[in-house]
Amino acid sequence: MIITVTLNPALDKTASVDVMRANELNRLQNVRVDAGGKGVNVSSIIHALGGKSVAVGFAGGGAGDELRLLIANKSLHADLVRIAATTRTNLKVMDEHGLLTELNEPGPAVTKAEWQNMEEKLLSYAQAGNIIVLSGSLPSTAEHAGFALGKDTYQKLSKRLRKCGAAVFLDADGEAFKLALESGKDEVPNFIKPNRFELLQYFGLPDDESVNEAKLIELCQIMLAKGVELVALSMGGDGAIFVNKNGAWKSAALPINVQSTVGAGDSMTGALVYGFEQGLKETDCFALAMAASAGACTTKGTNPPSKALIDELLTKTMIEKIG
Ligand SMILES: Nc1ncnc2c1ncn2[C@@H]1O[C@H](COP(=O)(O)OP(=O)(O)OP(=O)(O)O)[C@@H](O)[C@H]1O
Ligand SMILES: [Mg+2]
């Protein structure tokens, strides 16, 4: 079973406006609301591929009820922890020139009791054969009540979930990502999908000409030495590199008509875990990840591509062994 976890989900409200004017009334058109959050995106692509997952997350207030409904409307199976505070709504407004203004809320604070409910739920799914995908930002906490979730939250979750036998896939950045990799070899996430920026940020390296393919493979191998089984390094329009104990592979990005690259990485993550669960051989998992992520770029927002498009893109995918 695949479980996706979105600790700080959102309603994504998208709209358009002819001209965006600061300090003035802007009348929105084409307003639509979608279920947002990286884990929800991962569940969506798994569903598009014909697979099943459980989307776990927090939901509260009227917006939380709407989130439940929108997830159900996508035919995804959700198992959400109810919270007292209201789920956030993020507003994204596109003007006639295609310039995007984003107004994102920080997200509701969760209490200690609500966090304990989440931990219990995750532990109930943590067993051998299950893959738990942790992705996205951490929720804020009700600090006034003497409870705070540290940046080591993903580190702690990875440790506990792996101890129970589950495999962990982490897609996070910054300090939360860094700390998750500072554990024992059998405690760090099994699989990670940093993009190029996140990988170089982790190593504190500038993105200059010294960062060539050989250097990137070397950095991914340092991650393997920490206990990670697979590093899927995504590089946007430059394709991806996959490194595991059997070697390194690369693929160019597939030629597509790009609509929106938001959530492309989530599609790559979803396709990989789906491939693992189906028992596909490793290069077939990588090919599926390339096809699904390219397909995701051809749709508006974070809408998943159709299975037919993914299958067509798969025929164009070339995975090359480079190490
Ligand atoms: N312009 C593009 N053309 C073709 N494929 C693309 C393009 N941009 C992204 N992709 C595909 O999507 C994958 C993931 O993209 P990217 O590296 O941008 O992920 P990301 O930064 O983690 O995205 P997000 O966090 O928004 O989901 C790439 O490795 C590639 O396969
Ligand atoms: Mg990403």
Side-chain angles (χ1 to χ4, degrees), residues 38 171 193 195 198 234-237 239-240 253-254 256 258 261-266 268 289-290 293-294 297:
K38 297 182 79 65
D171 180 7
K193 195 224 65 64
N195 61 26
E198 289 157 356
S234 69
M235 303 183 295
L254 293 166
I256 39 146
V258 177
T261 60
V262 182
D266 303 332
M268 176 166 267
M290 295 310 298
S293 57
C297 297

Side-chain angles (χ1 to χ4, degrees), residues 256-264 293-303:
I256 39 146
N257 193 354
V258 177
Q259 283 282 344
S260 159
T261 60
V262 182
S293 57
C297 297
T298 67
T299 65
K300 289 215 166 95
T302 54
N303 284 334

